[in-house]
Amino acid sequence: MRQCENCNRKFGFGQIFKSLWLAYKPIVCPQCNAVYEHTMKNRILTALSVALGTIIGGLYWALSETDDENKILMLIISDVVLTLLFSSLSIYFFGFKRKHVEKAST
Ligand SMILES: [Zn+2]
């Protein structure tokens, strides 16, 4: 898992996961307040997770024999579960870029 470049504090899985689903909100180190932004790689990995979840969920839906009104609900649930699963895995490959705070010059 990633850690802070400044103070070496490790970022928790939950912290990264939450920041991801808050539209790539930058991660702030709770110890030294260093700010880390998501890299483009993270966005690509997330897009792939969503695509994979949708495709596999859709395949399951297409191959499923049941044909009642629960089927569309099953599609939504499986898409969400798979997307969350794949994005959880992709977090292990995430990279972060430290944001350098510009000193105010007066
Ligand atoms: Zn830190």
Side-chain angles (χ1 to χ4, degrees):
M1 198 51 78
R2 306 294 150 192
Q3 62 183 42
C4 178
E5 287 171 20
N6 195 38
C7 66
N8 291 330
R9 190 186 199 282
K10 285 190 167 59
F11 296 133
F13 176 84
Q15 191 180 11
I16 298 173
F17 196 73
K18 203 172 92 182
S19 117
L20 170 67
W21 292 107
L22 289 171
Y24 307 103
K25 196 172 179 284
I27 290 174
V28 181
C29 175
Q31 196 158 293
C32 69
N33 289 325
V35 179
Y36 292 88
E37 290 180 319
H38 286 266
T39 57
M40 188 49 79
K41 185 173 84 172
N42 303 5
R43 289 164 198 260
I44 294 166
L45 283 168
T46 306
L48 283 173
S49 302
V50 173
L52 265 176
T54 307
I55 291 165
I56 296 173
L59 270 177
Y60 167 75
W61 184 75
L63 296 171
S64 157
E65 293 290 326
T66 53
D67 203 19
D68 52 37
E69 65 251 32
N70 289 330
K71 203 176 175 184
I72 192 75
L73 190 68
M74 287 304 295
L75 173 68
I76 295 164
I77 292 170
S78 56
D79 274 8
V80 169
V81 169
L82 288 165
T83 301
L84 287 175
L85 179 74
F86 290 133
S87 60
S88 307
L89 294 173
S90 72
I91 279 176
Y92 290 97
F93 303 99
F94 272 22
F96 294 95
K97 193 177 69 188
R98 188 171 171 195
K99 189 179 176 181
H100 291 281
V101 182
E102 300 292 328
K103 285 199 171 74
S105 51
T106 44

